Amino acid sequence: MLKGARLLDIENGTIVTPGEVLVQGERILEAGAKVSHSPGAEIIELGDVTLMPGLIDAHIHLFLHPGAEDLQTVEESVPQRTIMATLAAKADLMAGFTAERDMGTEGAGSADSAVRDAINDGLIPGPRLPISGNAIDILGGHEDANNFNPAQHVLSNATYANSAEQLVVVIREQEKEGADFIKIYETGKDSLISGRLSTPFQYTEGQLAAAVAEAARTGRHVAVHATGEPGALFAVQAGVASVDHAYQLSDETMRIMREKKIPAVPTFAIGEYFAEHAASPAASEREGKLQQLHAQEFKKQLAASVPMAVGSDVGPFPHGTQAREFELMVQYGMSPVAVLQADLINGAKLLGWQGQIGALKPGYFADVIAVPGDPTRDIGVLKHVSFVMKGGVVYRK
């Protein structure tokens, strides 16, 4: 049994005092201010902390680390990157992220399936991990090796599909290799023109609809990298599961997302990191302006009742530090409770584990973390996780 000073009731957005969680095996038996337990139960006294469900990051890249993204995918071997991915998975878990969605290996193929399976088999520590394998892109698209000498034939960081028919073939190949869902790049390269985001689309609505239908045939979904229009509109019309980044969305896109309950995953933390670690002052200024635009548009999305999930795009910035995303979502307009619910309730749905993770309730997985203070008042306490349990196993104490 876990005992703390407080417990987060995520569905009501309130704090219960004190907090107790009774665990048996990998599941929660009971949670609340006081739970019944046998005299011989092990009691873990955690002191003046808030017990809460393990955090969810709906947009990560285990196979990336800080540095030149395009160079690391070329210079580092897949075995080397896989070893580093296992270290990244451990760092995220120790920071309290007990479930994450890996949004593409960036050129390492289906190697993330091996990391997921090793975690599931108890061979290495890491979060619950639905994976997409290599993401999908068009020739010359957002993740193609566009800045290298064409004569060198540098490989794309994603898998090519240039038509609806090719999308179906690639999706079937990725499913064969173990992908839990499909990641598609729908927009890019981004530029700001007179204060508006300009970003070419990569697939038409019809092509994306073919991808969504093929993924759904085997019970999978499609998530898209989509920063703006018209690509984001094509994606939501096609029925994707999430719109990741979502810098600037049209009124029609926001309406459809609200009606279809398609969440945006803003990824503010990566934008802040890029602005602060740009290669030149000009690049820093560009990234800063893009972040400002995103923050302004985020307020419009909130006013339009667009659903939100929490994803940081961690990888290009250090794994284990992505709780900064929560602070930025509050800074740009959400309440701490709304961000927590976006993370734990909407995140659980997006990862396909609704009713299994994201709350401290009987029957749920015993994914429990402890933080100082009250996260419903100060979201920054999520950066100071002191205890991590996943599936009834203590990883940090």
Side-chain angles (χ1 to χ4, degrees):
M1 185 180 76
L2 307 176
K3 297 186 70 173
R6 297 165 297 277
L7 181 143
L8 175 64
D9 177 348
I10 187 59
E11 292 174 333
N12 293 308
T14 58
I15 294 293
V16 175
T17 305
E20 297 184 353
V21 181
L22 184 63
V23 175
Q24 184 175 63
E26 64 178 5
R27 301 277 178 173
I28 295 172
L29 283 184
E30 194 177 343
K34 186 172 180 59
V35 303
S36 58
H37 60 89
S38 64
E42 178 188 1
I43 298 176
I44 300 178
E45 294 272 6
L46 294 170
D48 186 18
V49 299
T50 298
L51 301 176
M52 60 178 289
L55 302 173
I56 299 170
D57 193 331
H59 191 125
I60 70 159
H61 293 282
L62 285 181
F63 283 73
L64 292 177
H65 60 80
E69 182 178 329
D70 55 347
L71 290 179
Q72 67 189 255
T73 61
V74 173
E75 295 175 348
E76 297 171 6
S77 69
V78 171
Q80 179 184 354
R81 295 182 67 203
T82 304
I83 291 169
M84 295 183 71
T86 66
L87 302 177
K90 180 180 180 180
D92 289 355
L93 177 64
M94 296 307 171
F97 291 88
T98 56
E100 299 184 316
R101 190 175 58 150
D102 193 56
M103 295 287 283
T105 62
E106 305 265 343
S110 59
D112 52 355
S113 65
V115 176
R116 174 202 61 200
D117 293 348
I119 293 171
N120 290 346
D121 291 342
L123 300 176
I124 60 172
R128 303 184 189 279
L129 193 67
I131 59 96
S132 66
N134 221 28
I136 303 175
D137 202 5
I138 61 170
L139 181 67
H142 177 72
E143 278 298 321
D144 203 353
N146 297 322
N147 298 321
F148 292 93
N149 174 6
Q152 294 299 320
H153 302 289
V154 175
L155 297 176
S156 171
N157 285 343
T159 301
Y160 291 133
N162 291 305
S163 65
E165 292 77 12
Q166 290 178 5
L167 278 166
V168 169
V169 170
V170 170
I171 288 171
R172 290 176 179 175
E173 182 64 30
Q174 291 187 339
E175 291 173 346
K176 177 182 177 180
E177 294 177 359
D180 297 305
F181 69 98
I182 304 302
K183 158 76 178 290
I184 293 177
Y185 287 99
E186 168 58 358
T187 64
K189 183 178 180 181
D190 302 332
S191 59
L192 285 172
I193 302 175
S194 301
R196 297 289 296 176
L197 179 70
S198 176
T199 184
F201 70 90
Q202 298 193 173
Y203 298 101
T204 65
E205 177 192 346
Q207 290 169 332
L208 289 175
V212 169
E214 177 57 31
R217 184 179 63 84
T218 56
R220 292 170 170 85
H221 70 250
V222 172
V224 293
H225 166 119
T227 56
E229 303 295 354
L233 178 59
F234 294 163
V236 299
Q237 287 173 330
V240 300
S242 66
V243 176
D244 291 61
H245 309 304
Y247 292 168
Q248 192 167 53
L249 304 176
S250 70
D251 290 343
E252 177 67 2
T253 297
M254 291 189 287
R255 180 190 67 79
I256 295 172
M257 292 175 72
R258 180 177 65 248
E259 292 182 356
K260 292 186 176 182
K261 296 181 172 57
I262 300 171
V265 184
T267 65
F268 286 117
I270 191 70
E272 178 183 71
Y273 184 86
F274 282 161
E276 293 177 350
H277 296 79
S280 68
S284 178
E285 182 181 8
R286 174 189 176 278
E287 295 293 342
K289 287 181 177 179
L290 192 59
Q291 185 83 331
Q292 291 173 12
L293 172 74
H294 191 185
Q296 293 167 4
E297 293 294 317
F298 181 62
K299 290 180 173 64
K300 296 178 184 177
Q301 293 165 21
L302 294 175
S305 299
V306 172
M308 294 291 163
V310 180
S312 67
D313 210 358
V314 69
F317 69 96
H319 281 277
T321 69
Q322 66 262 48
R324 175 62 176 160
E325 185 70 26
F326 298 100
E327 292 182 315
L328 290 171
M329 291 179 76
V330 170
Q331 179 180 323
Y332 295 143
M334 293 182 78
S335 70
V337 169
V339 174
L340 288 165
Q341 291 175 334
D343 184 57
L344 298 170
I345 297 175
N346 294 348
K349 293 177 184 176
L350 187 54
L351 269 63
W353 285 316
Q354 183 180 7
Q356 300 287 312
I357 65 171
L360 301 181
K361 296 177 66 174
Y364 279 56
F365 283 115
D367 296 355
V368 188
I369 66 171
V371 297
D374 180 352
T376 68
R377 295 178 178 272
D378 177 10
I379 202 75
V381 301
L382 301 186
K383 296 167 66 176
H384 305 288
V385 172
S386 59
F387 173 86
V388 178
M389 170 183 281
K390 191 193 86 173
V393 177
V394 176
Y395 287 91
R396 179 175 183 178
K397 182 180 177 182

